[in-house]
Amino acid sequence: QVQLQESGPGLVKPSETLSLTCTVSGGSISSYYWSWIRQSPGKGLEWIGFIFYSGSTNYNPSLKSRVTISVDTSKNQFSLKLTSMTTADTAVYYCGRLSLNSPYWYFDLWGRGTLVTVSS
Amino acid sequence: ENVLTQSPGTLSLSPGERATLFCRASQSLNSYYLAWYQQKPGQAPRLLIYGASNRATGIPDRFSGSGSGTHFTLTISRLEPEDFAVYYCQQYGSSPWTFGQGTKVEIK
């Protein structure tokens, strides 16, 4: 059974860079699209971006200037970097897998989420 | 950006009752690209419906989805105690992918 697990710091200072990793266990990262989504009380659920296992990416335009998503197939992991963090970036960050059920798109698997708080 | 507006914000119902949740898109959307999720406190969202009307694996048949264009509906035919949660619609038709703000189904 494939599972996703987010890891990274729970506390980030304003202006710093957030780095999170999602580890895929019980299956291969290959052949799928992988994504980051966040959820905050103020903005609800917000899609951050996705990466194909080969490395091609697509980002939310509202975050594009600050986001980098990368993949390490040798470790079965993909990662999120979000620069210039502010209090507005405080949220639960989820990693997710996109289905291969063409032509449909949907998140068929989610990690449990990790709370990231931005505070000095 | 295709804004999804869900209504009502909160639905107060009793177990055994029927729940009807609405999701309206600001721009017309291919129904292939509309999904519904259920979220319980402290948990990640769980896929219920994809392609507007297809139940995900393991989802009971009391959940059904319908709609096209800009109007989509999630129906729970008879509420079970475990169905009281928050429900979100999401569109994948255009970037950025967006979620509705959610409908909370609470016990009356």
Side-chain angles (χ1 to χ4, degrees):
Chain A
Q1 181 180 349
V2 181
Q3 293 185 315
L4 308 182
Q5 179 66 59
E6 304 89 349
S7 58
L11 181 63
V12 177
K13 290 182 168 54
S15 80
E16 290 189 342
T17 295
L18 171 67
S19 293
L20 294 177
T21 296
C22 182
T23 300
V24 180
S25 59
S28 174
I29 201 167
S30 297
S31 304
Y32 283 94
Y33 289 86
W34 305 91
S35 190
W36 289 96
I37 309 104
R38 66 182 183 180
Q39 185 172 31
S40 62
K43 294 194 72 175
L45 286 161
E46 182 178 28
W47 170 69
I48 297 171
F50 70 68
I51 188 165
F52 193 42
Y53 78 100
S54 62
S56 59
T57 56
N58 191 348
Y59 300 136
N60 188 323
S62 70
L63 297 168
K64 189 173 183 178
S65 64
R66 299 195 292 133
V67 171
T68 303
I69 299 176
S70 58
V71 64
D72 186 337
T73 54
S74 68
K75 294 182 179 179
N76 239 29
Q77 294 176 333
F78 63 103
S79 299
L80 169 70
K81 287 193 189 305
L82 185 62
T83 63
S84 305
M85 293 283 282
T86 71
T87 55
D89 296 311
T90 293
V92 175
Y93 286 74
Y94 295 100
C95 58
R97 186 182 75 177
L98 285 153
S99 72
L100 285 178
N101 190 12
S102 180
Y104 305 106
W105 286 81
Y106 50 88
F107 295 114
D108 64 353
L109 191 62
W110 295 67
R112 298 179 73 171
T114 186
L115 174 62
V116 176
T117 302
V118 182
S119 175
S120 55
Chain B
E1 175 172 320
N2 198 345
V3 176
L4 301 183
T5 302
Q6 292 186 241
S7 61
T10 302
L11 206 46
S12 297
L13 295 167
S14 301
E17 290 194 294
R18 181 184 189 89
T20 304
L21 289 66
F22 301 99
C23 176
R24 178 171 53 86
S26 63
Q27 302 165 27
S28 187
L29 173 63
N30 188 316
S31 60
Y32 286 160
Y33 306 129
L34 193 284
W36 290 92
Y37 298 87
Q38 176 195 67
Q39 187 177 34
K40 296 180 180 178
Q43 296 183 16
R46 176 176 75 137
L47 176 71
L48 296 176
I49 300 286
Y50 65 91
S53 60
N54 301 282
R55 271 189 303 278
T57 303
I59 301 303
D61 61 7
R62 63 179 182 273
F63 290 91
S64 63
S66 63
S68 62
T70 59
H71 288 79
F72 299 89
T73 303
L74 174 70
T75 302
I76 310 171
S77 59
R78 291 177 317 279
L79 282 164
E80 296 288 339
E82 61 268 26
D83 299 336
F84 292 92
V86 181
Y87 293 82
Y88 295 95
C89 55
Q90 187 201 0
Q91 68 83 22
Y92 302 80
S94 60
S95 183
W97 295 347
T98 50
F99 292 83
Q101 83 281 14
T103 290
K104 181 178 182 180
V105 179
E106 66 175 23
I107 299 176
K108 185 174 181 180

